[in-house]
Amino acid sequence: MSKPLKQIHLAAHFPGVNSTTVWSDPAAGSQIDFDSFVHFARTAERAKFDFLFLAEGLRLREQGGEIYDLDVVGRPDTFTVLAALAAVTEHLGLTGTINSTFNEPYEVARQFASLDHLSGGRAAWNVVTSWDAFTGENFRRGGFLPREERYERAREFLDTAHELFDSWDGGEILADPASGEFLRDAGPGAFAHGGKQFDISGHFNVPRSPQGRPVIFQAGDSDEGREFAAASADAIFGRYRTLEEGRVFYADVKGRLPRYGRTPDELKILPAASFVLGDTDAEARELAHEVRLQQVSGATAIKYLEHVWNRDLSGYDPDGPLPEVDPEPGENTIALGRASVRMNGDPLAVAREWRELAAAEGLSIRELMIRTTARQSFVGSPLTVAQSIDALVQADAADGFILVPHLTPGGLDAFADTVVPLLQERGVFRREYAGPTLRDHLGLAAPRALAPVRG
Amino acid sequence: MPVHPSPSASPSPALHLAVALDGAGWHPAAWREPGAGADRLFTAGYWAALVAEAEAGLLDFVTFEDSLSLQSTDPAGPDGRTDLVRGRLDAVLVAARVAPLSRHIGLVPSVVATHTEPFHVSKALATLDYVSRGRAGLRIQVSERPDEVGHFGRRTAPLDPAELYAEAADHVEVVRRLWDSWEDDAEIRDAATGRFIDRAKLHYIDFEGPRFSVKGPSITPRPPQGLPPVSALASDTAVYPFLARSADIGYVTARDAGEVRAAVAALPATPHLFGELTVFLDERQATAERRLQRLDAAHGAAYTSDSRVFAGTAADLADLLLEWREAGLTGFRLRPGVLAHDLPAITRGLVPELQRRGVFRRSYEASSLRGLLGLARPANRYAAAASLTSPAA
Ligand SMILES: Cc1cc2nc3c(=O)[nH]c(=O)nc-3n(C[C@H](O)[C@H](O)[C@H](O)COP(=O)(O)O)c2cc1C
């Protein structure tokens, strides 16, 4: 008896302000006009994807004291664009990245509950914890959170949001014109939360939504982030480069679940992945190389190096060797507003590793950057790509992938038309949606409301 | 490419008409009326149908009411009643959800300035403008409710209304500066230099006020309308200074033509002043009055409102609107007593009556809300400043 095949989950990341997006290609369209989002979402839905994913950044990135201008800049408000997309799709899940530091639970909970109502149960929340003072300058509290409190606030934020979602159990609304009873009783919505980050109470004003609560995603890579995910998330948006890295991450995170009384299938691991398709593997490899050259120009390569070096390297030749000088230690002041910079571990260690790699293979700065900034990516003919995706999922390196095309908005079309049918033939990807909600797509059980506070 | 609504070519219509959408209607017993759809208030289909009806009637815009607390008859907190509509969806999201399903009508959600971040509000409304292709507006409100204070836990009740309106004015100023923080042609996609934007055309707004400071620029490019119109309700003359400073459209709750004239005199610079009226419309005045009485009886109390309550025929309402227009108003925001009944009465009764009198459009003459309101697309304040200081080429 062979093990039954795991079913693959697929999602589409509408590229935001990342460096993956090739905007200079003549086929590249707008990253902000609504038509782009409609095209992208409809392609994802045609391909029976689980959901569409949006990242978020609440301040424009800066480098060397200036607004960063080499990547796409400018994106819409997450909630608003997802609500509009609910009108032009029927099944596709709608996952929005919303920060737990620069928001308040009452407002975010009612936005997600509203989105879940307005989409018929398709809302998901990627809880991110960027905490920096740089971003804080756009907000009332001015404020920022000490780094070590970012997950404390995230955990309490999510707990509080759940208390709000659960303050309605779904059976309260009678709307009976004959008896004149709109509500069964006067209790719904009552909540009281007293904690270190939030001390709030009152009545939540959105009735229980189709999914009860949005699906919860987590996207932070630290130990605390993984623990937060194991305790509270339905899915992880991950970032890793190789099969081995993937398996280690997968085993680590799934291994944390029993502590919280959870089973492995209650947390889906969905890494980000780019892809390049060609008629043949050789053609795809060639195309992929061209794409990488477009993604990492000489100027971009220097900027990337500065993220680690934390100093001005504009005098260096991108086609030359790595700088002799070491990275500037301490808080990164050269590149602001980047999650990847915040997540960089020890810059001196990274520099050492890169120097060794560059020396061993004779790489220029640009070549090195092309190599080291590549994320998990699928390159090949549709058959090769379908096989690799399936192999990674069956090998427990992932439960599926969040695909990040390099072209907006048409970059998903070829994948939908060529790879998806092959996965369907292999019996590892749905041909039809099993149910209307995102929880149905992800195979997650509907949450029960916790006993609400009555007051 | 952003949509740049052209300044309206045809003359703007003689009278503007908006409808305020809230629950099943403004009468507390509205949800009990036939066809009210009270069991569908939390579905997208319910709101889409209302907006489609308003658009079929060629209305300038609809507003969506909102609050950050449960509806209540008690200003201090929940009233514990089970016989009234309770619960509502976020107004910005409802507006966004119906935007792709409509084409011409303006979509104006309500936002509470008191507890929200201007940065979030600015990008949300800019995005509503993108998804509606230039039809977004903002209705800004303040909240004195102590229960809302408890929902956020950041300040203490009681709040001082004057202070709240001053804060709301700062809020609107920040929202508008953020809309302007990108010049229209900031996106250059210059492949030769590898620059996606011309960062000289992005601006820090550097707002510093006594209540908050905001750096900017927005993460969202300047919306299609440049600055979506901002509106606010004045149920009290104490709100006039706020209207004067912050609103493109003020909704005034006058009771008669005299009060209309006073409001118009007090707010000479506000581009649009709309009369705010709650309406119950029927074929005959007696029928409308009886219907109102029947609703009052179901509710167990006579309906009261901050606005004038009109129960009568479409022709009589048209007379009143024209009289108030003569007194200086440019339009009206009507609150249908029962949406299921009074919204179609507006679109299929009042609108044709106004058209017969030559004071209302027969087709949409513009594709943006600003266009419908006869408001030009504003220049970017930062671009203007830059061109003043840049040397002549
Ligand atoms: C795959 C991935 C995606 C992320 N996406 C976002 C994002 O869209 N917006 C954001 O503010 N932070 C994003 N982050 C950053 C995290 O929210 C967080 O700020 C950071 O990783 C710090 O948490 P950590 O120390 O647990 O990694 C992302 C992180 C990862 C790993």
Side-chain angles (χ1 to χ4, degrees), chain A residues 67-108:
Chain A
I67 291 170
Y68 194 79
D69 60 0
L70 300 180
D71 293 338
V72 168
V73 184
R75 52 171 138 204
D77 174 65
T78 303
F79 282 119
T80 313
V81 82
L82 292 181
L85 285 174
V88 298
T89 53
E90 225 178 299
H91 290 95
L92 190 67
L94 302 165
T95 303
T97 298
I98 294 293
N99 185 289
S100 55
T101 301
F102 305 109
N103 285 288
E104 297 300 322
Y106 194 92
E107 199 180 2
V108 166

Side-chain angles (χ1 to χ4, degrees), chain A residues 437-450:
Chain A
T437 70
L438 177 55
R439 274 184 202 283
D440 295 331
H441 310 340
L442 290 170
L444 300 167
R448 273 197 313 273
L450 305 169

Side-chain angles (χ1 to χ4, degrees), chain A residues 392-416:
Chain A
L392 284 167
V393 170
Q394 304 307 335
D396 282 348
D399 294 313
F401 291 93
I402 299 182
L403 298 169
V404 194
H406 60 269
L407 282 179
T408 307
L412 208 56
D413 299 26
F415 190 97

Side-chain angles (χ1 to χ4, degrees), chain A residues 13 53-58 75 96-99 102 126-132 135 147 150-151 218-226 228 236-240 249 270-272 337-340 342-343:
Chain A
H13 185 328
F53 183 94
L54 287 184
E56 185 188 57
L58 295 171
R75 52 171 138 204
T97 298
I98 294 293
N99 185 289
F102 305 109
N126 179 32
V127 187
V128 294
T129 57
S130 312
W131 68 89
D132 53 300
T135 306
R147 182 167 191 273
R150 70 197 187 288
Y151 279 108
Q218 186 272 352
D221 197 33
S222 61
D223 187 62
E224 274 178 288
R226 294 179 188 201
F228 174 58
I236 292 189
F237 175 45
R239 183 149 50 190
Y240 62 77
F249 180 83
L270 307 173
R338 278 185 190 267
S340 58
R342 283 193 297 272
M343 291 188 314

